[in-house]
Amino acid sequence: MSPILIESIQAIVVDLPTIRPHKLAMHTMQQQTLVIIRVRCSDGIEGIGESTTIGGLAYGNESPESIKQNINSHLGPLLVGQDAANINAAMLRLDKAAKGNTFAKSGLESALLDAQGKRFGLPVSELLGGRVRDSLEVAWTLASGDTARDIEEAERMLDFRRHRIFKLKIGAGEVNADLKHVIAIKQALGERASVRVDVNQAWDESVALRACRILGDNGIDLIEQPISRINRGGQIRLNQRSPAPIMADESIESVEDAFSLAADGAASIFALKIAKNGGPRAVLRTAQIAEAAGIALYGGTMLEGAIGTLASAHAFVTLNKLTWGTELFGPLLLTEEIVAEPPVYRDFHLEVPRTPGLGLTLDEERLAFFSRT
Ligand code: MUC
Ligand code: MG
């Protein structure tokens, strides 16, 4: 039997409006930009993937434009003509020829998995070894920048039974004002919700030592990436001293980073992100390192749309324990979709489809409408 070949690869930049501005320490999002990947194969099957980041180059080393360019000029040509059904060989070929670029690789790996799933009539979770659950608890990020508005938003989410875990984005403001903001929200929600913070590297160790203590003493359950990813020594010390557990997010830019963080004892929770590891299979390697080291897991997001969100979800449902749940709410931050049937959120959870591949179909008209020309 002759192999099924990868015939063409296309990367499309799509700009979508958000329900409100989303304020992070390093950037305020006024919209979200997705990079959608289409991989067409010689058996007529098309796989779709997504390589999405936050705020151009504000968050990481790849921007939507660089992802598209690198797929067009480097990664795509390496894959065209290769066996579409051998994902190991395809991804090894990319890793051998191209350093880093985990966001671009993640979208490509997702698309190859989607195509393979459609080919064999299996959901991606089953290609990854099989799911151990059908849905994932999903946190919501409160990031309007306004305390009263955030409390109102959280109350609405609790009423709708959509979210009962809230992550607060802090670090852009003065630290005492940020602490006041977080404590006010925790006091308003009380035991009805888990409240966590994401500092996105904004503090230095001297600020973080005091702030983490105050947050822990005021019922905050988790502190995500309080200091720079570069300050490994500081992160180890914080992980030892903070009364609330420290989660590594930006410190993980590869599976190898995850190993060295575990070896150093620099975090007690890992945020798993397909984009920062190089795909749904790569992120499971980081999960396995964490499991072996006794580090708890959280299913993270780069605020992807439906495709990247479900590519993450298919990986996360294969995990034994996701102690801290997930934050796969990206599609809910968008006012528009480019897939025919958006992911289903119900009763605090995201449901992960059992249909072949990722379980999504592109809406061609909407995709064309929102695509950058
Ligand atoms: C991040 O740093 O975790 C995830 C949720 C959110 O609101 O922002 C992202 C990025
Ligand atoms: Mg984070």
Side-chain angles (χ1 to χ4, degrees), residues 35 37 39 48-52 62 67 71 75 79 87 91 94-95 100-114 272-283 302 304 307-309 311-312 315 358:
V35 183
I37 320 273
V39 173
I48 51 175
E50 182 180 338
S51 297
T52 289
E62 291 164 82
I67 290 167
I71 288 176
L75 306 174
L79 292 183
I87 300 172
M91 296 313 293
L94 292 187
D95 283 339
N101 286 277
T102 56
F103 285 69
K105 287 175 183 171
S106 174
L108 290 166
E109 186 176 280
S110 303
L112 289 171
L113 284 164
D114 182 48
L272 299 174
K273 296 191 177 179
I274 58 170
K276 296 210 275 125
N277 289 271
R281 297 174 336 135
V283 85
M302 287 305 295
E304 292 100 340
I307 299 167
T309 295
S312 307
L358 295 173

Side-chain angles (χ1 to χ4, degrees), residues 22 24 54 59 141 167 169 198 200 224 249 273 301 303 327 329:
H22 198 66
L24 292 83
I54 293 170
Y59 196 101
T141 296
K167 161 160 144 175
K169 301 298 269 187
D198 186 356
N200 283 118
E224 181 172 341
D249 181 11
K273 296 191 177 179
T301 180
L303 301 177
E327 56 182 13
F329 67 86

Side-chain angles (χ1 to χ4, degrees), residues 36-51:
I36 304 302
I37 320 273
R38 308 183 78 154
V39 173
R40 296 187 180 90
C41 309
S42 59
D43 56 355
I45 288 178
E46 178 183 73
I48 51 175
E50 182 180 338
S51 297

